[in-house]
Amino acid sequence: MLCRAALRSLLSAGKCRKAPGIRASHAEQTDWIDAKRSEKPELRPLYMDVQSTSPLDPRVLDRMLPYLVNYYGNPHSRTHAYGWESEKAMETAREQVASLIGADPKEIIFTSGATESNNIALKGVARFYKSRKKHIITTQTEHKCVLDSCRSLEAEGFQISYLPVQKNGLLDLKVLEEAIRPDTSLVSVMAVNNEIGVTQPIADIGHICSSRKVFFHTDAAQAVGKIPMNVNQMKIDLMSISGHKIYGPKGVGAIYVRRRPRVRLEPLISGGGQERGLRSGTVPTPLTVGFGAACEVAEQELEYDHKRISYLSQRLIRNIMNNIPEVVLNGDPEQRYAGCVNLSFAYVEGESLLMALKDVALSSGSACTSASLEPSYVLRAIGADEDLAHSSIRLVVIFLGLLQFVCTIILGFIAMYSTTNREIYLHRCPVKSFRLPNHTYFYRWVQTQAFVAAFLAVFLSRSKK
């Protein structure tokens, strides 16, 4: 029924031509086949903006589909099997998320994403402890939702310290220690910066906060599933996580809230008291199932993907900086997540460069502030002058675990032509089910090469035996 409704809407919009039925004449069938053959394949830009959102992993979609069609019960309904099935799936997803960050499943609260999680962490802690503590510490390079939440709390009478970062984007731990006061309730520092990819010393910050009896929150939307994160080893009290940053569905995320020692929060949403009373509202089972599956896949492939992305990132940076003069790598060159590369091209307007590179999907910074024409506040915070801040673009190196040589060759083309060529989006799936989203002649050529290489590898390995 759903498929028929979708087909009717497409036909009414004139976006597709109805295929001839079984009883159609030979002439009608021939006309339809000829029309399909004459259609030009759609050429889509190379996608290199995974820091803003990632494509859905096919394995995640496979896990979600049954809960979109067959298992549609409310997970909070306790009186029938439909609710029990959904609740079991939801709790399994909770365990998968907890396993990725070394937490207890009871400490995971599902939300709509990292933005809501950040709001819950900052406003929830601040308002609960406001009678005794009214001071919060954060940095100038945090995500927009953290900074805006802090400004909202300032209007309520809280005192916020916005700590500066060094020129490499890292927080000076001595400055942090000096900023902590007896009435400080929370320190919030982003794990991996969403614009320049710098990795903050989260474990050191966590130990400082723990020793000073201050709660520590980290926005780990860009870190979880990409670099190892363990809430107990790093002394993290609250952590924000997003599903669509790790090849999961959009519209779902989580907040980790430590139970021992217990972190108390004032909920932002009132209602039925779901999620331990901290986030009322029906939990979307299909989204949480997909989120859990994405976390499971990320945990399995974390080490391998990290090594491969590091290699590809180094090759990309080296080739671009060796062939193009006056290119600046923003952020610390060592303490960073390799998949996020932020480069400034001297004498070139960043927005103009993005418009010129029509074949590449890039951004000049956070998608949450892309409507603003002002230079990136993150780059200004690390000391970049206004002209250089205007000339930056963000490249995201992705590797989905399949056919390394193809990905390496494509990234070589990108570096050679200053990111003006096409990259292929490769699904993380076995070679036997290898498929590409766009069937252009170039994609088909690479697909053929992939199969030939896979066949030769199997043939040669057997012949040696």
Side-chain angles (χ1 to χ4, degrees):
M1 184 174 69
L2 292 173
C3 293
R4 290 177 182 174
L7 183 60
R8 280 198 299 269
S9 64
L10 277 174
L11 290 173
S12 62
K15 293 183 179 179
C16 71
R17 181 176 178 179
K18 185 177 179 182
I22 298 175
R23 297 182 180 180
S25 64
H26 177 72
E28 290 177 338
Q29 294 178 358
T30 304
D31 291 343
W32 184 81
I33 293 173
D34 291 340
K36 295 298 290 182
R37 286 176 176 173
S38 64
E39 291 180 1
K40 293 183 178 179
E42 180 186 2
L43 294 175
R44 304 192 67 194
L46 149 71
Y47 188 72
M48 292 191 69
D49 196 21
V50 180
Q51 290 292 99
S52 62
T53 191
S54 61
L56 189 68
D57 191 298
R59 290 168 292 183
V60 173
L61 179 61
D62 289 342
R63 298 276 189 90
M64 293 174 62
L65 282 175
Y67 296 92
L68 289 167
V69 181
N70 297 325
Y71 305 109
Y72 43 79
N74 189 317
H76 311 293
S77 298
R78 305 291 179 84
T79 57
H80 50 73
Y82 288 87
W84 302 336
E85 292 168 346
S86 296
E87 183 184 23
K88 181 179 179 181
M90 180 183 69
E91 294 306 322
T92 300
R94 201 186 304 274
E95 293 173 1
Q96 291 168 329
V97 176
S99 176
L100 181 58
I101 62 173
D104 187 285
K106 295 180 180 179
E107 297 173 318
I108 301 299
I109 306 298
F110 286 120
T111 65
S112 63
T115 293
E116 183 184 354
S117 299
N118 287 334
N119 275 264
I120 292 174
L122 290 160
K123 296 176 181 177
V125 169
R127 292 169 180 170
F128 190 90
Y129 295 96
K130 64 182 178 180
S131 60
R132 295 180 287 119
K133 298 183 176 183
K134 304 201 71 173
H135 180 235
I136 294 174
I137 298 174
T138 188
T139 71
Q140 297 176 0
T141 57
E142 294 299 302
H143 191 273
K144 196 74 164 54
C145 66
V146 171
L147 297 177
D148 282 355
S149 295
C150 289
R151 294 189 185 99
S152 176
L153 291 173
E154 279 185 300
E156 297 179 20
F158 291 91
Q159 296 179 351
I160 313 294
S161 294
Y162 300 94
L163 301 184
V165 294
Q166 303 171 81
K167 288 191 175 182
N168 59 0
L170 297 176
L171 176 63
D172 189 336
L173 299 181
K174 292 183 179 178
V175 174
L176 173 62
E177 289 188 84
E178 294 173 357
I180 297 178
R181 306 185 330 205
D183 65 337
T184 302
S185 61
L186 183 70
V187 172
S188 180
V189 179
M190 181 186 289
V192 173
N193 189 270
N194 59 310
E195 290 195 30
I196 59 177
V198 168
T199 305
Q200 297 291 348
I202 295 299
D204 296 334
I205 297 173
H207 283 85
I208 291 173
C209 294
S210 178
S211 64
R212 300 289 291 272
K213 307 297 182 183
V214 175
F215 292 132
F216 174 42
H217 163 255
T218 182
D219 177 2
Q222 302 289 357
V224 169
K226 301 174 183 178
I227 62 174
M229 297 290 293
N230 188 291
V231 292
N232 293 312
Q233 295 176 2
M234 297 179 173
K235 303 293 183 182
I236 298 171
D237 299 302
L238 301 113
M239 176 188 284
S240 302
I241 313 172
S242 179
H244 70 102
K245 306 291 186 183
I246 54 173
Y247 306 97
K250 297 171 181 62
V252 66
I255 179 172
Y256 158 78
V257 183
R258 183 176 290 280
R259 299 186 75 196
R260 293 184 180 87
R262 187 179 181 185
V263 180
R264 305 295 297 275
L265 299 171
E266 183 177 304
L268 302 185
I269 301 176
S270 302
Q274 291 89 347
E275 297 298 283
R276 288 171 47 199
L278 297 178
R279 206 278 186 180
S280 295
T282 302
V283 175
T285 307
L287 298 183
T288 56
V289 168
F291 184 27
C295 289
E296 182 182 46
V297 172
E299 185 176 9
Q300 293 171 354
E301 303 181 355
L302 178 64
E303 183 179 358
Y304 178 72
D305 279 0
H306 182 68
K307 290 180 180 178
R308 189 63 189 168
I309 287 176
S310 298
Y311 164 73
L312 295 173
S313 176
Q314 291 172 6
R315 178 172 179 174
L316 178 65
I317 295 172
R318 183 176 62 252
N319 288 347
I320 289 179
M321 299 189 76
N322 289 344
N323 290 282
I324 304 175
E326 299 192 57
V327 178
V328 178
L329 175 64
N330 296 306
D332 190 90
E334 300 297 332
Q335 197 164 334
R336 63 185 304 114
Y337 166 59
C340 180
V341 179
N342 191 296
L343 299 173
S344 291
F345 297 82
Y347 317 116
V348 179
E349 177 69 26
E351 296 298 330
S352 301
L353 183 60
L354 293 179
M355 293 177 66
L357 300 178
K358 296 179 180 179
D359 288 340
V360 187
L362 295 169
S363 69
S364 58
S366 172
C368 302
T369 57
S370 60
S372 174
L373 295 177
E374 295 296 318
S376 167
Y377 66 88
V378 174
L379 297 181
R380 297 302 301 273
I382 63 175
D385 60 64
E386 187 169 347
D387 291 338
L388 203 59
H390 269 298
S391 66
S392 68
I393 63 172
R394 182 181 64 179
L395 301 104
V396 182
V397 180
I398 60 173
F399 178 70
L400 303 184
L402 177 65
L403 298 177
Q404 304 175 16
F405 72 97
V406 176
C407 195
T408 304
I409 291 171
I410 298 303
L411 278 179
F413 287 153
I414 294 168
M416 186 184 303
Y417 296 106
S418 184
T419 70
T420 58
N421 285 275
R422 291 188 175 276
E423 178 192 40
I424 298 172
Y425 161 46
L426 302 173
H427 291 295
R428 277 189 291 194
C429 56
V431 174
K432 63 181 181 181
S433 61
F434 175 68
R435 60 186 184 276
L436 294 163
N438 294 308
H439 297 288
T440 65
Y441 292 109
F442 181 66
Y443 290 160
R444 289 176 181 174
W445 174 82
V446 176
Q447 187 178 24
T448 303
Q449 300 300 314
F451 275 113
V452 170
F455 174 80
L456 288 175
V458 175
F459 178 79
L460 291 175
S461 63
R462 291 182 177 179
S463 63
K464 288 180 181 179
K465 295 179 181 180

